[in-house]
Amino acid sequence: MDIIRKLELNQLSKEEIDKVTKLDISFNQITTIPECLGNLVNLRELYLSCDKIKIISECLGNLINLQKLNFYYNQIRILPECLGNLVNLCEVNLSK
């Protein structure tokens, strides 16, 4: 979760943000997706498994390079339209 704190506090340079291609913040008991994740435009894999997320944030619509999205074992019931922006997305896991 350290990268999330740095993103929220604007402590990462553009070069550091652009280098992030995989992020796993599973098993942190988070209930909402931090809006700052929408800044990780080069992210290809995002893992948010085994948390307590109920709603997928619209900010994920900015992750146009995302290929894998894993929300395994959360409480998500509705997929937002913003996921339609993710033209490179080829794997989504929403299973319980």
Side-chain angles (χ1 to χ4, degrees), residues 2 14 26 34 37 42 44 48 66 75 83 90 94:
D2 190 48
K14 171 133 174 57
S26 302
L37 289 186
N42 290 320
R44 291 195 174 106
L48 291 157
L66 197 64
Q75 302 164 8
L83 294 185
C90 54
L94 296 167

Side-chain angles (χ1 to χ4, degrees), residues 1-2 7 30 42 48 52 63 69 77 84 89:
M1 292 284 289
D2 190 48
L7 273 170
I30 62 173
N42 290 320
L48 291 157
K52 296 182 179 184
L63 306 178
L69 181 58
R77 296 175 195 250
L89 191 63

Side-chain angles (χ1 to χ4, degrees), residues 3 18 21 23 28 31 35 39 51 73 84 92:
I3 191 168
D18 288 345
T21 59
L23 183 61
N28 282 293
T31 57
E35 290 294 318
N39 296 329
D51 287 314
Y73 204 71
V92 178

Side-chain angles (χ1 to χ4, degrees), residues 3 6 11-20 40:
I3 191 168
K6 287 182 178 181
Q11 293 179 338
L12 293 177
S13 68
K14 171 133 174 57
E15 293 79 25
E16 290 171 310
I17 290 171
D18 288 345
K19 288 181 183 178
V20 180
L40 300 173

